[in-house]
Amino acid sequence: MKVPFLSLRDISEKYKSELHEAVLRVVDSGWYLQGKENAVFEQHYAKYIGTNYCVGCANGLDALILIFRAYMELGILNPGDEVIVPANTYIATILSITENGLVPILIEPNPNTLEIDDSLIEDKITPKTKAIVIVHLYGRNAYSEKIGKICKKYNLKLVEDCAQSHGCKSFDGRRTGSLGDAAGHSFYPGKNLGALGDGGAVTTNDSILADTIRALANYGSNKKYVFRYEGRNSRLDELQAAILDVKLRHLDEDNNLRQQVAAYYYDHLQHPLITLPKRLPDEENVYHIFPIIVSGKGNRNRLRDYLAEHNIDTICHYPIAPHKQECYSKVLWNTPQLSLPITERLADEELSLPISPCMTKEQIEYVVEVVNGWNIYIEY
């Protein structure tokens, strides 16, 4: 049996007729940028998330970059200000900070949840700290009441990275993307809400911020040939907006299917070398990724190879921690004294199992059977 990590073809096949209709509508319209499709999707997505505004842009990285850039244009952030961010995130989160001349302050994750450890945040706050970024990594809610209180106590902006959490809710029933001051979303094809190419968006309740981001993403202009800012070209095209609007109608259904796969994994995976992150209520986890932690030096790679031999695709998220990447090897904030042992251990031990709304019962059972049957000498 073959178990792909994620079949984008199978996902598109589920809504083939609706997608074809949307694509033809855009092609026949003769309008391909900044038109009705964008306006409709932005309206629908803002309503779904629970915010007043949604601004489409080219991709998820741009969404985060534009948030910080807008805060700088508005005088809320300045070069050299510090932004607290989880250390074990995908590098895009940190790139959005350094791209704007801001300083990332890396915080270790809680090893039980794999999300930012809110008990470590307050000790890292200095007079230069101006914002906190939470990343709803793997599709898990990263927001906590404590984080909200810290932001209020120190008057910090709360920015959400929702690249992996489309449809996820917090413990209080609000959707991720509406919990902070602004949120960046990615619609990369493999996401729970994925386009057929790159795409992104910012959601917020701040009208001034939304207007600033919209101008920055359009060369710095909110009136033709009038440029208030030194902007960039970062726009969601009409075709992707139409496709996303189709998929948005099915997002909750697809997330429910992911949750069913995850429930079977949680209930049946049993191996002495494998631990699973703390199980959250379904509304707080949309399972963009299903991570397992494989203990023992080199055992993650051994299990990955073993599963590949049995035609089960897996991915490591992420095998090199951001602070260990060459691009950050010589920056001042990344000193040799920077100690992030949990983040580095996760980089060595995390393995993501297949999970998607298209997996069959037989595929799910096969993955569990093969993983549980993995025999290896325990090596520490």
Side-chain angles (χ1 to χ4, degrees):
M1 182 180 296
K2 173 67 175 175
V3 186
F5 185 78
L6 179 69
S7 173
L8 297 179
R9 180 188 293 273
D10 288 346
I11 291 174
S12 296
E13 185 69 26
K14 292 179 65 177
Y15 314 116
K16 184 176 181 179
S17 61
E18 293 175 80
L19 292 173
H20 283 195
E21 179 185 344
V23 170
L24 287 174
R25 184 175 69 247
V26 174
V27 172
D28 292 344
S29 74
W31 195 292
Y32 307 126
L33 280 172
Q34 295 182 305
K36 292 180 180 179
E37 301 292 346
N38 260 269
V40 168
F41 173 69
E42 287 179 351
Q43 179 184 6
H44 289 170
Y45 195 59
K47 182 178 180 180
Y48 178 83
I49 294 298
T51 57
N52 293 328
Y53 306 100
C54 170
V55 181
C57 60
N59 54 68
L61 173 57
D62 275 7
L64 293 171
I65 288 174
L66 288 165
I67 290 170
F68 290 117
R69 173 70 185 282
Y71 278 135
M72 297 182 80
E73 293 289 354
L74 295 170
I76 295 170
L77 294 178
N78 294 287
D81 285 345
E82 295 174 351
V83 179
I84 287 174
V85 62
N88 63 317
T89 184
Y90 182 57
I91 198 171
T93 318
I94 299 172
L95 287 171
S96 71
I97 298 169
T98 58
E99 171 82 5
N100 283 289
L102 303 167
V103 180
I105 304 299
L106 307 183
I107 303 294
E108 287 268 64
N110 182 318
N112 295 318
T113 67
L114 309 185
E115 306 299 324
I116 190 169
D117 190 336
D118 60 12
S119 71
L120 303 178
I121 292 175
E122 199 160 9
D123 287 344
K124 296 294 184 178
I125 294 175
T126 74
K128 299 189 73 173
T129 307
K130 302 299 180 184
I132 297 175
V133 179
I134 57 173
V135 182
H136 304 290
L137 199 63
Y138 310 125
R140 300 167 60 89
N141 169 46
Y143 179 76
S144 68
E145 188 176 10
K146 185 168 187 175
I147 290 174
K149 289 181 177 179
I150 289 173
C151 289
K152 289 181 180 178
K153 179 179 178 180
Y154 294 95
N155 192 29
L156 304 177
K157 292 297 182 183
L158 179 60
V159 177
E160 298 176 75
D161 183 338
C162 297
Q164 301 184 1
S165 67
H166 309 95
C168 181
K169 292 183 179 180
S170 174
F171 60 88
D172 56 11
R174 294 180 295 161
R175 289 197 191 276
T176 58
S178 69
L179 306 174
D181 296 285
H185 305 253
S186 168
F187 304 126
Y188 180 79
K191 305 298 186 182
N192 290 35
L193 179 61
L196 299 188
D198 272 322
V202 175
T203 55
T204 183
N205 286 318
D206 186 333
S207 61
I208 297 175
L209 183 71
D211 288 345
T212 305
I213 288 171
R214 192 176 295 280
L216 285 168
N218 187 37
Y219 298 99
S221 171
N222 48 24
K223 182 179 180 181
K224 194 168 185 178
Y225 300 133
V226 178
F227 302 93
R228 185 173 182 180
Y229 311 108
E230 295 180 29
R232 62 198 303 156
N233 177 11
S234 180
R235 299 175 297 202
L236 182 66
D237 68 65
E238 289 285 278
L239 188 62
Q240 300 304 338
I243 288 165
L244 288 166
D245 202 52
V246 169
K247 290 192 169 186
L248 180 60
R249 297 196 288 267
H250 302 283
L251 178 57
D252 288 343
E253 172 192 343
D254 282 351
N255 283 344
N256 180 258
L257 293 171
R258 288 175 175 271
Q259 288 160 348
Q260 292 179 36
V261 178
Y264 191 87
Y265 282 165
Y266 267 108
D267 291 342
H268 295 89
L269 282 171
Q270 293 182 336
H271 195 284
L273 293 182
I274 294 173
T275 57
L276 306 182
K278 179 183 176 182
R279 191 171 183 175
L280 298 176
D282 276 351
E283 60 267 22
E284 291 189 56
N285 196 344
V286 293
Y287 295 100
H288 171 60
I289 290 167
F290 192 92
I292 63 174
I293 309 303
V294 187
S295 63
K297 184 178 179 180
N299 283 338
R300 187 268 307 277
N301 294 340
R302 294 185 183 96
L303 176 57
R304 182 187 59 190
D305 293 343
Y306 168 80
L307 293 175
E309 291 170 2
H310 289 77
N311 296 312
I312 297 172
D313 293 341
T314 58
I315 296 178
C316 302
H317 292 95
Y318 300 98
I320 304 175
H323 69 288
K324 292 292 187 180
Q325 297 287 354
E326 183 178 356
C327 62
Y328 288 136
S329 62
K330 297 179 182 179
V331 293
L332 294 177
W333 54 266
N334 189 8
T335 66
Q337 292 76 33
L338 184 63
S339 178
L340 299 167
I342 299 174
T343 296
E344 293 170 20
R345 179 174 64 81
L346 289 175
D348 291 335
E349 297 184 352
E350 190 278 341
L351 186 67
S352 301
L353 298 181
I355 190 165
S356 85
C358 297
M359 288 184 73
T360 66
K361 182 174 181 289
E362 291 74 20
Q363 286 177 322
I364 301 165
E365 292 174 346
Y366 179 66
V367 171
V368 169
E369 177 186 349
V370 174
V371 171
N372 287 348
W374 178 46
N375 292 317
I376 186 170
Y377 291 109
I378 298 178
E379 183 176 340
Y380 293 100

